[in-house]
Amino acid sequence: MLELNQTGVPAVQAPVRYSPGVEDVKSDEGQTIAQLNETFDTILETVAKDSGHAVRSVHAKSHGILEGILTIDSDLPPELAQGLFAKPGAHKVYLRMSTNAGDILPDAVSLPRGLALKVLDVPGERLPDAEGTTQNFIMVNGKVFQAKTTEKFLGSLKLLAATTDRAEALKVAASTVLRGVNKALTAVGIESTTLGSLGGAPNVDPLGETYYSVTPFRYGDHIAKFSVAPVAPALTALTGREIDASGRPNAIRETVQSEMKGIEGVWEFRVQLCRDLERQPVEDPTVEWNEDEAPFQRVGLIVARPQDSWDAAQVQTVDEEMRFSIWTGLAAHRPLGNINRARNAPYKHSAEFRQRFNGCPIHEPGAGT
């Protein structure tokens, strides 16, 4: 039974200790992952054939590439001083802002925003086959994943694959209708991640958004979800601001580029520790972890100076020559749950396809890059 404090608010319990037993690995997951690879191939091959260039099978379109510094807070309590965040210090980072489709669409098709973060020069024991010395985080501007299991994830991906290469004009029109429906539902307190993923998401400025890992990870001795939230006034002023992309296929990229030339971006890196495995489950990412019961806590600060967020050399280095994978990082931040396990092979598969088709080696940045 959930305990309440004297004010009637749920009491914050001690964080759950990590053990391998927190995961429930099904015997048929390998078969589902093989089908995921096949579906990713459909998206990859269709887009590469049409455009002559291979892109990521999800979150293909970038809106900005930023370089910054992650400074890990000092004097963190033991439960937060774990893994990458065990010791204070500063790390160079790359941030990639994107939307979730596997093809390059005009920005009038509004989709959920994504943020990929690559932290450089991170010492420590690596995950199996995790090359380099970076720690990667991948997040979206929503708190839950749209699929509970790998099987449902496969179904959603097949739907995405079926719409790849369809007429752009139809997608733009459909997105306009879906945005209207989604706003009407939101007005009465209903949020639809499904409508958002199909093109009904608000066409918001990615610089003002708060991003969430959605799925859980090992956090050293504990279990956690992650978040990156804007705190600089110049960023929070953009929260919820929608971009008019009418007749501007790259409106989001152009907006971010214009804004970042004149502002310093500052975001908090936050950790949400699991405190009750029933109320904050590992295997079901459709369940939101209530922040009253499991609050987000700051563990570091990301600062990106004013810069050209679409610098050609930076885009080539980061967008074309690197990959972002939740399985590239420390053993202390092992991805947990069936959705995360299903993301390992397909992410690698996608990067290998891009490398092969484009003839451009994909690699982790070296020390001091």
Side-chain angles (χ1 to χ4, degrees):
M1 181 176 177
L2 187 65
E3 295 183 5
L4 301 180
N5 61 26
Q6 293 180 346
T7 62
V9 176
V12 176
Q13 302 180 41
V16 172
R17 301 282 295 187
Y18 167 79
S19 73
V22 300
E23 293 190 275
D24 181 17
V25 182
K26 304 298 184 183
S27 60
D28 60 350
E29 281 187 11
Q31 299 172 17
T32 305
I33 291 170
Q35 292 183 64
L36 283 168
N37 279 338
E38 292 175 6
T39 309
F40 274 122
D41 274 344
T42 299
I43 299 172
L44 290 164
E45 291 169 1
T46 299
V47 175
K49 179 182 177 182
D50 288 351
S51 66
H53 186 78
V55 295
R56 292 166 173 83
S57 50
V58 289
H59 288 276
K61 188 172 186 178
S62 296
H63 302 305
I65 304 293
L66 299 177
E67 180 182 312
I69 299 293
L70 166 64
T71 302
I72 297 167
D73 290 347
S74 57
D75 300 322
L76 290 172
E79 64 188 32
L80 295 178
Q82 302 284 330
L84 166 62
F85 304 93
K87 296 180 180 179
H91 298 264
K92 181 176 177 178
V93 296
Y94 291 116
L95 301 92
R96 177 182 185 263
M97 297 180 175
S98 63
T99 48
N100 74 348
D103 45 356
I104 305 297
L105 298 170
D107 289 346
V109 181
S110 55
L111 296 160
R113 303 288 182 250
L115 177 69
L117 179 68
K118 188 178 288 288
V119 185
L120 277 60
D121 302 333
V122 178
E125 180 188 353
R126 309 286 292 169
L127 287 162
D129 302 321
E131 68 277 14
T133 57
T134 72
Q135 176 65 49
N136 291 197
F137 300 96
I138 297 177
M139 307 184 191
V140 295
N141 63 332
K143 295 184 178 181
V144 296
F145 197 69
Q146 75 260 24
K148 178 179 180 178
T149 63
T150 52
E151 291 82 3
K152 291 188 179 297
F153 180 33
L154 176 61
S156 297
L157 191 67
K158 286 181 176 179
L159 180 61
L160 186 64
T163 62
T164 303
D165 196 34
R166 296 296 174 87
E168 288 184 357
L170 292 177
K171 289 184 179 180
V172 171
S175 182
T176 302
V177 173
L178 289 171
R179 275 201 306 276
V181 173
N182 216 7
K183 284 183 177 180
L185 289 174
T186 302
V188 294
I190 301 172
E191 293 187 25
S192 173
T193 57
T194 300
L195 286 180
S197 67
L198 292 176
N203 217 356
V204 291
D205 190 324
L207 289 174
E209 291 299 285
T210 296
Y211 296 90
Y212 302 88
S213 68
V214 177
T215 51
F217 294 77
R218 181 176 179 179
Y219 192 71
D221 294 333
H222 305 293
I223 302 159
K225 290 184 179 181
F226 306 119
S227 177
V228 169
V231 291
L235 296 184
T236 56
L238 302 174
T239 301
R241 180 178 295 180
E242 297 195 31
I243 297 171
D244 182 3
S246 304
R248 299 169 59 206
N250 297 312
I252 303 169
R253 183 180 299 165
E254 293 163 1
T255 300
V256 171
Q257 186 177 31
S258 174
E259 291 167 342
M260 278 306 303
K261 286 181 178 179
I263 65 175
E264 181 174 74
V266 184
W267 297 263
E268 284 187 352
F269 195 105
R270 299 170 177 173
V271 170
Q272 185 183 31
L273 295 176
C274 174
R275 299 173 186 275
D276 184 322
L277 285 171
E278 290 188 4
R279 301 182 68 82
Q280 295 116 38
V282 166
E283 293 289 350
D284 185 357
T286 65
V287 175
E288 181 180 344
W289 291 9
N290 187 306
E291 293 182 40
D292 289 334
E293 302 167 17
F296 277 102
Q297 298 170 276
R298 171 180 153 168
V299 292
L301 201 66
I302 300 168
V303 177
R305 56 175 173 73
Q307 60 191 276
D308 182 356
S309 61
W310 203 249
D311 174 78
Q314 190 87 297
V315 170
Q316 176 64 31
T317 297
V318 178
D319 210 39
E320 294 292 337
E321 297 176 9
M322 294 183 193
R323 75 181 182 111
F324 291 83
S325 168
I326 58 170
W327 286 89
T328 298
L330 299 176
H333 298 312
R334 181 183 182 86
L336 302 176
N338 70 102
I339 295 297
N340 274 344
R341 293 191 296 273
R343 294 163 79 185
N344 191 359
Y347 275 45
K348 184 176 181 181
H349 190 74
S350 172
E352 289 172 346
F353 180 91
R354 287 170 50 216
Q355 178 172 267
R356 187 169 60 251
F357 190 94
N358 296 335
C360 178
I362 293 176
H363 55 272
E364 284 297 299
T369 298

